[in-house]
Amino acid sequence: MWLLHLLRKSFDFWQSILWKSGSDSRIVVWKKSEEEAYQEFYPKQFYPRTIAGILLSVYTFAIFGLTLFAISHELIPNFQIRDLHRQSILTSIRLQEIADSLNQQTQYLTNLQRLLSGDPDTMLAEVITDISASATMPPNGGTWKPTSIFTRTGTPQSLINSTNNIFTDESDPALSPPSPNSLRSLQLPAMAPVQGIVARNFNAEEGHYAIDIATSEGLMIRCIGDGYVIFADWTYKGGHTIAVQHADGYISVYKHNQRLLKHVGDRVQARESIAVSGDSGEYSSGPHLHFELWNNGLAQDPSTYILGY
């Protein structure tokens, strides 16, 4: 009880000094060494300034507190801390992927330039050796000799329309290409590359040269026919993208994958898994496969070539 009594007296004392402007109380600063008053203050002189200071302090703390509350609960439009943090992480990852992609493309173009100038380097020779090892051996004990290589610029239109002349028989004076049986023609209509529902159809007028197949993440994307992988990389719009060159000038393109299972130069068979479905790329709004089919540089409506669509 004595503590409450003490607090009450202290409260009354400061209230009479700081709040009661008409009070006769005064504050005296006593100088003990000289046994006399050093200075005197009257509460009514400080009343307006005290009120203004308290109001300003309350206003400042209120604004500061409301701001912290709004930021922590993401109540301020276009100022979501979590979204900004997540976006910064995604941006850094994409920048790293772009840098890696540019390095690979630079190395690819350098190797291609050396090949065309007649001075292929060791790395490109190894790639050609791997591809030739998987190809059908020529008759009469001949050996394959590379006469051309895949080229790419990131768009299916610029890809070479046939792979029948990748290797030629060194034993043949005319350097004739191998039999077309080394790469079988597409069996059309082909099985769908993945199970799903067509969410968007082919529309050349809108610049949508594909069908979008809505599906779940983590499913296997299967190649529609025999061919060679001529593009397997990450792109800003299409995410993880892979393209396969087939016989008779056909090229199939698979975009927005979660990850790729094949590399450039790999030979793939019909119905072989080449990627895992996902939602990568800026032009993807959900898990789906963006499937394109080209023939001699012209976009085809895949729904007319795929069973069930």
Side-chain angles (χ1 to χ4, degrees), residues 184-256:
R184 293 183 302 175
S185 300
L186 282 177
Q187 302 298 316
L188 300 175
M191 296 289 293
V194 68
Q195 293 182 352
I197 301 174
V198 176
R200 187 179 179 186
N201 292 313
F202 179 91
N203 193 328
E205 295 180 356
E206 296 179 358
H208 189 254
Y209 304 107
I211 57 173
D212 290 342
I213 305 175
T215 185
S216 303
E217 289 193 55
L219 297 182
M220 291 297 170
I221 303 298
R222 303 185 183 277
C223 189
I224 63 171
D226 296 352
Y228 287 93
V229 177
I230 54 176
F231 184 89
D233 209 338
W234 186 90
T235 63
Y236 179 75
K237 296 180 180 180
H240 294 288
T241 302
I242 186 169
V244 178
Q245 173 77 63
H246 306 283
D248 304 323
Y250 283 98
I251 296 176
S252 58
V253 184
Y254 314 77
K255 296 183 178 181
H256 304 305

Side-chain angles (χ1 to χ4, degrees), residues 18 46 64 77 107 143 145 162 184 215 224 250 272 278:
L18 299 176
F46 300 95
F64 183 73
Q107 184 178 6
T143 58
K145 178 180 179 181
S162 177
R184 293 183 302 175
T215 185
I224 63 171
Y250 283 98
E272 183 176 355

Side-chain angles (χ1 to χ4, degrees), residues 159-173:
L159 300 173
I160 295 179
N161 294 326
S162 177
T163 56
N164 292 335
N165 62 342
I166 295 178
F167 302 101
T168 56
D169 189 352
E170 192 178 31
S171 62
D172 189 349

Side-chain angles (χ1 to χ4, degrees), residues 35-49:
E35 297 295 334
E36 62 179 6
Y38 179 73
Q39 196 170 3
E40 295 180 354
F41 301 93
Y42 291 92
K44 62 182 180 180
Q45 297 176 353
F46 300 95
Y47 180 75
R49 285 179 289 180

Side-chain angles (χ1 to χ4, degrees), residues 15-233:
Q15 185 182 32
S16 64
I17 292 177
L18 299 176
W19 292 94
K20 296 180 180 180
S21 60
S23 175
D24 294 334
S25 302
R26 60 179 177 172
I27 302 174
V28 178
V29 180
W30 188 263
K31 197 171 185 181
K32 186 176 181 180
S33 60
E34 299 180 2
E35 297 295 334
E36 62 179 6
Y38 179 73
Q39 196 170 3
E40 295 180 354
F41 301 93
Y42 291 92
K44 62 182 180 180
Q45 297 176 353
F46 300 95
Y47 180 75
R49 285 179 289 180
T50 302
I51 296 299
I54 292 176
L55 291 178
L56 181 60
S57 299
V58 172
Y59 176 79
T60 302
F61 280 105
I63 294 299
F64 183 73
L66 289 175
T67 303
L68 288 180
F69 179 81
I71 292 176
S72 62
H73 290 75
E74 299 182 354
L75 299 179
I76 301 178
N78 301 324
F79 195 76
Q80 287 78 18
I81 297 298
R82 296 176 184 175
D83 290 345
L84 290 176
H85 180 66
R86 189 183 304 110
Q87 190 66 29
S88 63
I89 295 177
L90 291 177
T91 301
S92 62
I93 294 175
R94 288 166 181 167
L95 288 176
Q96 184 61 42
E97 290 178 340
I98 291 175
D100 295 341
S101 177
L102 289 177
N103 291 335
Q104 293 179 2
Q105 292 180 14
T106 301
Q107 184 178 6
Y108 178 85
L109 292 176
T110 301
N111 293 335
L112 182 60
Q113 183 179 7
R114 291 180 180 179
L115 177 65
L116 295 178
S117 62
D119 183 24
D121 62 359
T122 305
M123 182 180 297
L124 189 58
E126 293 177 355
V127 174
I128 296 174
T129 302
D130 294 338
I131 299 177
S132 60
S134 63
T136 305
M137 294 301 296
N140 302 326
T143 58
W144 297 122
K145 178 180 179 181
T147 58
S148 64
I149 192 78
F150 309 115
T151 60
R152 64 175 186 179
T153 58
T155 56
Q157 298 93 320
S158 61
L159 300 173
I160 295 179
N161 294 326
S162 177
T163 56
N164 292 335
N165 62 342
I166 295 178
F167 302 101
T168 56
D169 189 352
E170 192 178 31
S171 62
D172 189 349
L175 296 179
S176 59
S179 172
N181 295 329
S182 61
L183 191 60
R184 293 183 302 175
S185 300
L186 282 177
Q187 302 298 316
L188 300 175
M191 296 289 293
V194 68
Q195 293 182 352
I197 301 174
V198 176
R200 187 179 179 186
N201 292 313
F202 179 91
N203 193 328
E205 295 180 356
E206 296 179 358
H208 189 254
Y209 304 107
I211 57 173
D212 290 342
I213 305 175
T215 185
S216 303
E217 289 193 55
L219 297 182
M220 291 297 170
I221 303 298
R222 303 185 183 277
C223 189
I224 63 171
D226 296 352
Y228 287 93
V229 177
I230 54 176
F231 184 89
D233 209 338

